[in-house]
Amino acid sequence: MLNVDTIKNGLVIDHIRAGYGPRIFQWLGLDKAKYTAALIMNVNSKRTGAKDIIKIDNILNIDYSVLGFIDPNITINEIKNEKISRKIQLSLPERVENVIRCRNPRCITMTEHYVPQVFLLVDKKKTLYRCEYCDTIVNAHSEDIITGLVI
């Protein structure tokens, strides 16, 4: 039987696509945290079949747009005094900076490393982003993009 204590003040990151939880857990630095944090994987879900959940017993300042880029179906529950104080439904961000790298060898970001990697959303349904500098199109949810995230 799995028993994870209730969160007093913190966050519950829910509806993470199954298998993506460990990457988010590591990006948030929870593997080195001095407070309680739990990664629960492959939880049964009526909506998606399986999902991952991260419970954090601490208030963190997180860039929700990066989480929305990784998986726009993520829901974040902010917990205060053991009750949900706010529920946030994420979506694909219109702009991401320094989250993914452009793969075009002729892009200025490949030679001028001080130039930020900026991608703009061009097609929400197909999850396509365009490099702001060279117009290279990438699919945000292709496996090679997710595994190569800068996060």
Side-chain angles (χ1 to χ4, degrees), residues 110-126:
M110 295 298 276
T111 57
E112 305 297 332
H113 300 289
Y114 64 89
V115 177
Q117 300 273 337
V118 178
F119 284 81
L120 306 171
L121 182 63
V122 292
D123 189 328
K124 200 172 218 170
K125 288 188 181 197
K126 294 180 182 177

Side-chain angles (χ1 to χ4, degrees), residues 43-68:
V43 177
N44 287 332
S45 170
K46 292 177 186 172
R47 192 179 350 166
T48 60
K51 66 180 180 179
D52 292 351
I53 301 170
I54 297 174
K55 290 183 158 193
I56 308 163
D57 199 9
N58 194 15
I59 303 296
L60 298 178
N61 186 14
I62 298 173
D63 184 354
Y64 293 150
S65 66
V66 175
L67 290 178

Side-chain angles (χ1 to χ4, degrees), residues 130-148:
R130 176 183 55 80
C131 175
E132 185 175 61
Y133 305 103
C134 71
D135 296 330
T136 295
I137 301 291
V138 297
N139 183 332
H141 292 133
S142 69
E143 200 56 40
D144 61 327
I145 294 296
I146 295 300
T147 57

Side-chain angles (χ1 to χ4, degrees), residues 15-148:
H15 300 104
I16 302 168
R17 187 179 320 170
Y20 284 43
R23 185 143 183 93
I24 294 171
F25 196 84
Q26 185 178 12
W27 173 66
L28 292 172
L30 298 174
D31 52 334
K32 298 173 187 88
K34 303 269 190 231
Y35 45 84
T36 303
L39 168 61
I40 308 161
M41 297 180 61
N42 297 314
V43 177
N44 287 332
S45 170
K46 292 177 186 172
R47 192 179 350 166
T48 60
K51 66 180 180 179
D52 292 351
I53 301 170
I54 297 174
K55 290 183 158 193
I56 308 163
D57 199 9
N58 194 15
I59 303 296
L60 298 178
N61 186 14
I62 298 173
D63 184 354
Y64 293 150
S65 66
V66 175
L67 290 178
F69 176 80
I70 295 170
D71 187 351
N73 297 313
I74 289 176
T75 303
I76 298 178
N77 297 316
E78 292 182 352
I79 311 295
K80 290 190 179 155
N81 299 318
E82 297 184 8
K83 294 189 182 235
I84 296 174
S85 64
R86 189 170 109 172
K87 192 172 202 128
I88 303 165
Q89 179 63 51
L90 301 184
S91 62
L92 283 173
E94 294 294 321
R95 179 181 191 273
V96 291
E97 184 173 324
N98 295 328
V99 175
I100 54 175
R101 291 188 180 104
C102 186
R103 301 216 168 148
N104 179 354
R106 295 182 181 194
C107 183
I108 190 171
T109 60
M110 295 298 276
T111 57
E112 305 297 332
H113 300 289
Y114 64 89
V115 177
Q117 300 273 337
V118 178
F119 284 81
L120 306 171
L121 182 63
V122 292
D123 189 328
K124 200 172 218 170
K125 288 188 181 197
K126 294 180 182 177
T127 65
L128 298 178
Y129 281 82
R130 176 183 55 80
C131 175
E132 185 175 61
Y133 305 103
C134 71
D135 296 330
T136 295
I137 301 291
V138 297
N139 183 332
H141 292 133
S142 69
E143 200 56 40
D144 61 327
I145 294 296
I146 295 300
T147 57

